[in-house]
Amino acid sequence: MDRVKSSMQQVPNPIPKVLSRRTGGANTLELEKENFERSQAVSVNKAINAQEVAVKEKHARTCILGTHHEKGAHTFWAAVNRLPLSSNAVLCWKFCHVFHKLLRDGHPNVIKDSMRNKGDLSDMSRMWGHLSEGYGKLCSTYLKLLITKMEFHIKNPRFPGNLQMTDRQLDEAGENDVNNFFQMTVEMFDYLECELNLFLGVFSSLDMSRSVSVTAAGQCRLAPLIQVILDCSHLYDYTVKLLFKLHSCLPADTLQGHRDRFQEQFKKLKNLFYRSSNLQYFKRLIQIPQLPENPPNFLRASALSEHISPVVVIPVEASSPESEHIVETEELVDTDIPAQPSSSENRFDDLFGTSAATDPFNFNSQNGMRKDDKDRLIEQLTQELQALKEELETFRVESARLCQALRGRVSELEAELAEQSHLKQQALGESEFLRAELEDLRRVKEDTEKEQRSLTEIERKAQANEQRYTKLKEKYTELVQSHADLLRKNAEVTRQMTVARAAQDEVETVRREMQEKVKAAQEDAQQREKEQLDQMQSLQRELMTSRVELDTLRDSMATSQQSSEELSSRLAALETERAELAETVSQKEAELAGLGQELERVQSSLSSERESGVKAAEALQNQLNEKESREQALESQLVAARWAALQGALEEAERVVQDSLSQMDDPAHISCTSSADYLVSRSQAALDCVDRLQAARDQYLSDQSDVSEMLRSVTRFAHLVGDTILQGSATSHMVPVDQADLLTEGVRACGSEALALLALLKDRETLGAADGAKLREALGSIKATAEKLRPQGLELQQGELGDLVEQEMAATSAAVESAAARIEEMLNKSRAVDTGVKMEVNERILASCTELMQAIKALVLASKDLQRDIVESGRGAASMKEFYAKNSRWTEGLISASKAVGWGATVMVDAADLVVQGRGKFEELMVCSHEIAASTAQLVAASKVKADKDSPNLARLQQASRGVTQATAGVVASTKSGKSQIEETDTMDFSSMTLTQIKRQEMDSQVQVLELEAQLQRERERLGELRKKHYELAGVSEGWAEEEDGTG
């Protein structure tokens, strides 16, 4: 009885009472914020720990709710930054899992707040990438995926973190621009590629021959794949839809690369989904979809209706696999309010009254309850228990009925969904038909636009020619206007003739009487006709002259216009005469006859003028056609010249690359060396130039009138690839044999691919198909090999590295000061002991060495000042030692350069001392001066690599560097001059030697020459071996050997 009662009291209140809002203003808010940060830190530490088990769902969900509470991820990152993620791979792996959950289900501001930690994540990814097995490689791959996910959502802010979008939202994300859809598809391919890499990495790290999915370690690795499966399903669906959309707007050949990449990813994703669905771990947590047997056919637009979006189903009971409470509500319940008694307890009290121990008048508690009362109580409780069982059974039946009803409703909804799918397929068919019609209309519109553009071009050319002959057109227009005036006058005369013919019948009798007057009038009219004929002939002669001489056309047209005015006046006179003939029939008949003849003459003159105008227009058109033909010929010649120039540039580029390859086999090239850092920079520049060459090729194919960019790109391409080949060969001379062979093979492959690409660019047919992908791979291989050969940082702590810089710079200054003091001392000794030529030579050499030491001292001081500026401007809130430790590669360069300068100064002073004493060699002094120049150049390069180009200390450093170079040249010059002076004093005298002695000396000299040549060859070989050994020792001290072991 007590057990039942206590179990009923343990059932939590379904509606917990929330604590009343406390007063206290800012103190309360600060307390709540502190409690929130503390709870979040606890959840983060519980979710991300070093135990190799899967992340518990309740802790991850608490972190997700925390981001929604504070609308960001500042508290999460504050807790994560205190974790040693770089020292524990399991810890980093579980952090990636929790962070992936936050990016998917957390507040949208999580992505923005996390971008400021992108650099740290990239560095951590590179650090874990050095491990080839275990969690290290998986952490590197997972971090790359998370960085890619953040970059994708920053570039495409319309996509939520869980990638759940409708088709309409997907169209809005691309803004209905085919370029945006094209770029979005490429980014989704990259995103999905990172997801698949993590998928494959996890599977390859597990032993699939055993049931690893039921072990804690196996579940720790498999748990993040649930988030990967959710992302992959959406990315696959959106990629298919975008590719169908692109194929409806772009040619199929343009999207060949997209189709190939999609088919490759489709095969991988299908295989991984199939393998995942067979694991016992996923069967109870997620329902993985199955992809179709074959990928969609994007060349057939109707295949979109056959596409079924993959849906990932997560069962409700699998959302929290641990049988634990999701949120601890202990702090949310008001503990000051007493708990209400449960309903079963109240019911018990109603049936049996209050407890017998609290009733002072209950005598049964003193004397004991009778046995009948206990039996009756047990029977009553049994009946109540039976009633509760019946009620529970009723609830089960009702729930089964409701489940059956819901299943029926689900079946109805599935039927409606099938019907809607059928209607959707019909609508897709209709939309496909309309899309085809729209494509035809678009094609017709494009053809029309092309014709319009060609017509516009023709009009532009015609306008240019038309401006040249504007004056002739103006004159021709005047002729046409005068012609129209004459035609109007002709119509008026014709009307008048009709009236005259009507009056002719009436005055037939008068006509006979006036015949004599008519004859006189005819003679007069003939005279006037003759005069007009002479005038018209003169007009025709003037028109002929205007066709021959265009400059005199204006004057002749003015004359013709005057003649037309005279004709108009004569026509007016004829009209007057016609009025007079109305009075007298004979006068009208004569005037009409004259007007008819005049009309015929005018018409003949107009026809002749029209013919001349037509001939002039034909001549102008012929000139225009000839000009267009000449322009076409010039254009064809220009195109041929452009192609010839491009061919010449490509041939020259081939010769440059071939010359670089041939120099690799030249014995003189064996002594050339280079550094891995410089090879990395050259290979990166060559990679950029390949991309620029591809862009210039595309621009030339679209517009072949501009070949300048193509020529510049080809020239730069040839020189950069040739330089990369030579620097790669030179670098191989300084590395071990295995790495040298690998680098040499990569360099030769790069040269072969470059020659193949240039050969494709030389042919018009293969110009469009030329692709530099293989060349980029070869350059990438060279760059990767050079990256492996680059020196690594020294294994020093922050304080040690910063102190070492200061110590080395101080030691260098001390060495230079000591060397200057020793040189001054040697100079004083030489003046006291030596005389003559030897003293002069010693003074000159020691003086030049003193100048060199002073220049080195100024250079070291300038380098210190510049380094101080660099540290002050770049360290920010960090200390100087922390800045040196953060930039360890730069700091190591300073240390190495400082050591070299100090050592070179000491060695040069020793060599100068021996030369002054007569026991040394001048060559040693020259070699030491060259070594000091190289060391100071290294110090200058290491100091100025991080300096501001406008810094005054940088200018001082460069001036000091030039001073060191001049002082070094002075040392070499003074040494050579002293050597020549001393050798001149020791002239050879053979006057006292006999023939036999000279012959013996000659044989001894030949033997010594042979010995010296053999010794020279041995010393050259020894120098090469020393350089290789120096490179190996430098690699060991810089950490290369450890990198090779890690990568092996």
Side-chain angles (χ1 to χ4, degrees):
M1 183 66 185
D2 295 334
R3 187 179 304 168
V4 174
K5 188 174 182 179
S6 62
S7 64
M8 289 183 178
Q9 291 178 354
Q10 291 176 359
V11 177
N13 191 2
I15 306 177
K17 294 184 177 181
V18 182
L19 288 171
S20 61
R21 187 181 302 274
R22 298 187 180 95
T23 60
N27 293 330
T28 305
L29 294 177
E30 292 178 358
L31 183 60
E32 291 179 358
K33 183 178 179 181
E34 183 179 354
N35 292 333
F36 169 74
E37 292 178 352
R38 186 185 301 109
S39 63
Q40 286 293 304
V42 171
S43 299
V44 170
N45 291 328
K46 288 183 178 180
I48 305 174
N49 53 49
Q51 296 179 2
E52 194 174 1
V53 295
V55 176
K56 290 188 177 181
E57 190 71 20
K58 65 175 183 178
H59 302 316
R61 186 175 287 110
T62 303
C63 296
I64 293 172
L65 293 176
T67 62
H68 288 281
H69 176 75
E70 69 166 343
K71 296 181 175 56
H74 297 289
T75 304
F76 171 76
W77 280 107
V80 168
N81 288 332
R82 292 191 291 267
L83 298 176
L85 300 180
S86 301
S87 59
N88 193 315
V90 177
L91 201 68
C92 182
W93 175 254
K94 299 180 77 170
F95 155 73
C96 294
H97 185 190
V98 175
F99 184 42
H100 197 174
K101 283 179 172 288
L102 261 64
L103 291 178
R104 282 186 52 82
D105 303 326
H107 194 272
N109 290 335
V110 171
I111 298 175
K112 298 179 182 178
D113 295 342
S114 301
M115 282 302 294
R116 66 191 62 181
N117 298 285
K118 175 185 172 184
D120 297 335
L121 296 178
S122 300
D123 296 338
M124 196 185 307
S125 175
R126 286 193 295 269
M127 188 271 293
W128 285 118
H130 293 298
L131 300 180
S132 59
E133 59 184 7
Y135 279 99
K137 196 69 175 178
L138 296 179
C139 290
S140 176
T141 307
Y142 209 163
L143 289 170
K144 291 178 182 177
L145 168 60
L146 296 176
I147 294 171
T148 304
K149 182 176 180 66
M150 290 192 295
E151 292 176 348
F152 177 81
H153 289 290
I154 291 297
K155 293 180 182 177
N156 304 279
R158 294 178 183 267
F159 282 84
N162 56 7
L163 296 175
Q164 292 182 0
M165 296 180 68
T166 61
D167 293 344
R168 181 178 179 181
Q169 292 174 341
L170 184 62
D171 294 336
E172 293 175 353
E175 299 177 356
N176 292 326
D177 188 356
V178 66
N179 296 320
N180 293 340
F181 286 127
F182 191 93
Q183 182 63 27
M184 192 186 303
T185 306
V186 175
E187 293 173 357
M188 284 189 179
F189 279 145
D190 297 338
Y191 190 178
L192 186 58
E193 187 70 26
C194 294
E195 301 274 3
L196 295 176
N197 289 338
L198 180 60
F199 227 135
L200 292 172
V202 171
F203 277 169
S204 61
S205 66
L206 296 174
D207 187 4
M208 304 306 292
S209 61
R210 299 181 296 171
S211 300
V212 293
S213 63
V214 298
T215 62
Q219 292 178 2
C220 182
R221 300 193 184 192
L222 292 174
L225 296 186
I226 296 178
Q227 312 299 320
V228 175
I229 292 172
L230 292 171
D231 288 344
C232 289
S233 63
H234 292 298
L235 290 175
Y236 167 76
D237 184 31
Y238 299 154
T239 304
V240 172
K241 293 177 180 178
L242 289 178
L243 283 177
F244 273 110
K245 188 178 294 294
L246 289 176
H247 278 78
S248 64
C249 302
L250 297 176
D253 296 338
T254 306
L255 300 172
Q256 181 63 41
H258 280 49
R259 291 197 300 274
D260 295 341
R261 192 172 183 184
F262 173 80
Q263 290 179 359
E264 181 182 358
Q265 292 184 352
F266 173 81
K267 294 178 182 178
K268 293 181 180 179
L269 186 60
K270 180 180 178 182
N271 183 28
L272 293 173
F273 275 8
Y274 175 75
R275 294 173 63 183
S276 301
S277 61
N278 293 330
L279 292 177
Q280 187 67 29
Y281 176 70
F282 290 121
K283 288 183 179 181
R284 66 184 182 88
L285 295 179
I286 188 172
Q287 182 178 346
I288 302 175
Q290 295 296 328
L291 299 182
E293 186 66 25
N294 297 317
N297 185 8
F298 300 108
L299 302 179
R300 184 167 57 90
S302 60
L304 179 60
S305 60
E306 302 174 1
H307 170 66
I308 300 175
S309 300
V311 178
V312 180
V313 179
I314 299 180
V316 178
E317 61 273 8
S319 61
S320 59
E322 301 86 357
S323 59
E324 299 177 6
H325 296 295
I326 297 174
V327 180
E328 298 176 0
T329 59
E330 182 180 2
E331 297 178 357
L332 299 178
V333 180
D334 191 355
T335 56
D336 297 334
I337 301 174
Q340 297 294 332
S342 62
S343 60
S344 60
E345 184 178 359
N346 294 333
R347 189 172 181 180
F348 180 85
D349 293 338
D350 293 339
L351 290 174
F352 304 104
T354 58
S355 176
T358 61
D359 190 359
F361 301 100
N362 190 355
F363 298 100
N364 293 329
S365 60
Q366 300 175 3
N367 300 328
M369 188 177 293
R370 295 192 301 272
K371 185 176 181 180
D372 295 337
D373 294 336
K374 291 183 180 180
D375 294 339
R376 186 169 55 255
L377 178 60
I378 292 172
E379 182 178 359
Q380 188 174 359
L381 289 175
T382 305
Q383 293 175 359
E384 184 179 356
L385 182 60
Q386 186 65 28
L388 291 175
K389 288 182 179 180
E390 292 177 357
E391 186 178 358
L392 179 60
E393 186 65 26
T394 304
F395 286 157
R396 289 179 180 175
V397 173
E398 183 66 20
S399 63
R401 186 184 62 81
L402 291 176
C403 290
Q404 187 65 27
L406 290 175
R407 291 193 186 95
R409 181 58 179 166
V410 168
S411 301
E412 293 177 0
L413 292 176
E414 289 179 351
E416 292 179 2
L417 180 61
E419 184 178 359
Q420 293 294 332
S421 300
H422 180 66
L423 294 176
K424 179 183 177 182
Q425 291 180 357
Q426 291 181 353
L428 288 174
E430 294 178 359
S431 64
E432 183 66 25
F433 177 73
L434 293 176
R435 189 181 291 110
E437 290 185 353
L438 181 61
E439 186 67 25
D440 295 338
L441 292 176
R442 188 182 292 110
R443 192 179 299 106
V444 171
K445 181 180 178 181
E446 291 177 355
D447 296 339
T448 306
E449 290 177 353
K450 290 181 181 178
E451 293 177 357
Q452 186 68 26
R453 287 194 295 269
S454 62
L455 181 60
T456 304
E457 184 68 19
I458 293 173
E459 289 178 354
R460 184 182 62 80
K461 293 181 180 179
Q463 184 177 3
N465 292 322
E466 184 179 359
Q467 292 177 357
R468 301 177 184 177
Y469 306 101
T470 304
K471 295 182 180 181
L472 291 176
K473 288 184 179 180
E474 292 177 355
K475 298 303 179 182
Y476 181 73
T477 304
E478 293 177 0
L479 290 175
V480 172
Q481 185 65 32
S482 63
H483 183 204
D485 295 337
L486 290 176
L487 288 176
R488 285 193 296 272
K489 292 178 181 180
N490 184 19
E492 183 67 22
V493 171
T494 304
R495 186 180 61 79
Q496 293 175 359
M497 287 179 63
T498 304
V499 176
R501 286 193 185 95
Q504 186 178 3
D505 295 337
E506 297 177 358
V507 294
E508 184 68 27
T509 56
V510 182
R511 181 179 180 182
R512 295 188 184 91
E513 295 177 357
M514 299 299 296
Q515 188 172 5
E516 294 178 356
K517 294 181 180 181
V518 171
K519 289 181 179 179
Q522 286 180 353
E523 291 176 357
D524 191 8
Q526 288 178 358
Q527 185 65 27
R528 289 196 300 271
E529 178 183 354
K530 185 175 181 181
E531 293 177 358
Q532 291 178 356
L533 181 61
D534 295 335
Q535 292 177 357
M536 292 299 295
Q537 289 178 355
S538 64
L539 179 62
Q540 289 178 356
R541 287 193 298 271
E542 290 176 357
L543 289 175
M544 292 297 293
T545 306
S546 66
R547 286 196 299 268
V548 178
E549 299 177 356
L550 294 176
D551 296 334
T552 60
L553 183 61
R554 184 179 291 104
D555 297 335
S556 63
M557 291 302 299
T559 305
S560 64
Q561 186 175 5
Q562 293 176 1
S563 301
S564 299
E565 292 177 356
E566 292 177 359
L567 290 175
S568 300
S569 62
R570 287 188 178 87
L571 288 174
L574 290 176
E575 289 178 357
T576 304
E577 290 177 358
R578 184 190 59 77
E580 294 176 356
L581 287 177
E583 297 177 355
T584 57
V585 178
S586 60
Q587 292 179 356
K588 289 182 178 180
E589 184 69 18
E591 189 66 27
L592 288 172
L595 288 174
Q597 295 176 359
E598 183 70 19
L599 180 61
E600 291 178 357
R601 286 193 295 272
V602 170
Q603 289 179 349
S604 62
S605 65
L606 289 175
S607 63
S608 63
E609 289 177 358
R610 188 184 298 110
E611 291 176 357
S612 63
V614 171
K615 291 180 180 179
E618 291 177 354
L620 292 176
Q621 186 65 32
N622 293 332
Q623 292 179 2
L624 180 60
N625 294 334
E626 291 177 358
K627 183 177 181 301
E628 290 179 351
S629 63
R630 287 196 299 272
E631 289 179 352
Q632 292 177 357
L634 290 175
E635 185 66 25
S636 62
Q637 293 177 2
L638 184 59
V639 170
R642 293 193 190 105
W643 179 251
L646 181 58
Q647 288 287 317
L650 291 171
E651 291 175 357
E652 185 63 26
E654 287 183 345
R655 284 193 290 270
V656 170
V657 175
Q658 190 65 42
D659 180 67
S660 300
L661 291 174
S662 62
Q663 287 186 14
M664 292 177 60
D665 300 327
D666 189 359
H669 184 65
I670 297 176
S671 60
C672 297
T673 59
S674 180
S675 64
D677 290 334
Y678 187 68
L679 179 59
V680 170
S681 64
R682 291 293 84 193
S683 58
Q684 182 60 43
L687 282 170
D688 297 338
C689 186
V690 171
D691 297 334
R692 180 181 174 185
L693 179 61
Q694 294 290 108
R697 189 276 311 270
D698 297 337
Q699 179 181 356
Y700 176 73
L701 290 177
S702 61
D703 183 15
Q704 296 188 358
S705 62
D706 186 11
V707 76
S708 59
E709 183 64 23
M710 188 70 177
L711 293 174
R712 287 193 294 269
S713 300
V714 169
T715 304
R716 181 173 176 81
F717 168 81
H719 287 287
L720 287 178
V721 171
D723 192 12
T724 302
I725 293 172
L726 292 177
Q727 296 302 327
S729 177
T731 304
S732 67
H733 298 157
M734 297 291 292
V735 300
V737 178
D738 296 336
Q739 297 177 347
D741 294 340
L742 179 61
L743 185 58
T744 303
E745 291 176 1
V747 167
R748 292 188 184 277
C750 174
S752 302
E753 295 298 336
L755 293 176
L757 179 60
L758 293 174
L760 292 175
L761 293 176
K762 286 175 60 178
D763 193 358
R764 287 182 181 271
E765 297 179 356
T766 60
L767 179 62
D771 188 12
K774 295 183 178 179
L775 179 57
R776 280 194 290 269
E777 292 179 0
L779 290 172
S781 176
I782 295 175
K783 182 181 177 183
T785 304
E787 287 284 351
K788 295 179 181 179
L789 297 176
R790 295 175 68 178
Q792 302 298 320
L794 295 174
E795 297 296 330
L796 295 175
Q797 300 299 324
Q798 294 183 1
E800 296 176 359
L801 193 59
D803 294 338
L804 186 59
V805 174
E806 299 296 332
Q807 293 172 7
E808 289 299 330
M809 294 302 293
T812 302
S813 300
V816 173
E817 292 287 346
S818 176
R822 286 186 60 190
I823 291 174
E824 186 66 26
E825 182 181 356
M826 286 188 292
L827 183 59
N828 294 331
K829 289 183 180 180
S830 176
R831 288 173 180 173
V833 175
D834 298 328
T835 58
V837 176
K838 187 174 182 181
M839 185 182 69
E840 180 182 359
V841 170
N842 292 339
E843 286 183 351
R844 191 185 304 124
I845 292 175
L846 293 176
S848 61
C849 291
T850 303
E851 293 177 357
L852 178 58
M853 290 301 152
Q854 293 176 354
I856 293 174
K857 181 179 179 181
L859 177 67
V860 172
L861 294 176
S863 177
K864 286 183 178 180
D865 295 337
L866 181 59
Q867 291 169 25
R868 190 178 300 108
D869 290 348
I870 293 172
V871 173
E872 291 297 329
S873 62
R875 68 185 177 91
S879 64
M880 182 179 296
K881 295 181 179 180
E882 291 175 351
F883 178 83
Y884 280 127
K886 182 178 180 181
N887 301 273
S888 59
R889 184 69 59 80
W890 177 67
T891 306
E892 291 156 13
L894 289 178
I895 294 171
S896 177
S898 301
K899 286 182 178 180
V901 172
W903 175 81
T906 304
V907 173
M908 192 188 77
V909 171
D910 295 336
D913 190 8
L914 294 176
V915 169
V916 170
Q917 295 177 6
R919 294 180 297 162
K921 298 180 181 180
F922 291 93
E923 288 79 6
E924 292 180 357
L925 189 58
M926 288 189 287
V927 169
C928 291
S929 61
H930 285 301
E931 188 66 24
I932 287 180
S935 301
T936 54
Q938 181 182 357
L939 181 60
V940 171
S943 300
K944 66 185 287 190
V945 68
K946 287 185 174 291
D948 186 7
K949 63 180 181 180
D950 298 329
S951 175
N953 288 325
L954 178 60
R956 286 182 52 205
L957 179 64
Q958 293 175 345
Q959 183 65 29
S961 176
R962 288 190 288 270
V964 171
T965 303
Q966 294 176 0
T968 303
V971 171
V972 174
S974 60
T975 304
K976 289 183 178 179
S977 176
K979 180 182 178 182
S980 61
Q981 285 183 351
I982 292 177
E983 287 177 353
E984 288 175 0
T985 59
D986 297 333
T987 56
M988 290 177 291
D989 186 10
F990 305 119
S991 60
S992 60
M993 297 178 64
T994 63
L995 178 62
T996 305
Q997 293 174 347
I998 291 176
K999 188 64 176 179
R1000 181 178 296 278
Q1001 291 290 336
E1002 181 181 356
M1003 293 177 64
D1004 294 339
S1005 297
Q1006 290 178 358
V1007 170
Q1008 189 174 4
V1009 166
L1010 293 176
E1011 291 176 352
L1012 290 175
E1013 287 179 350
Q1015 185 179 1
L1016 176 62
Q1017 184 64 27
R1018 287 194 300 272
E1019 288 298 324
R1020 283 179 177 173
E1021 294 175 355
R1022 184 170 177 269
L1023 177 60
E1025 294 297 326
L1026 286 173
R1027 286 179 176 174
K1028 290 184 178 180
K1029 190 63 178 178
H1030 175 266
Y1031 188 84
E1032 293 175 359
L1033 293 176
V1036 172
S1037 64
E1038 298 290 334
W1040 295 348
E1042 297 174 1
E1043 181 182 359
E1044 292 176 2
D1045 296 337
T1047 57

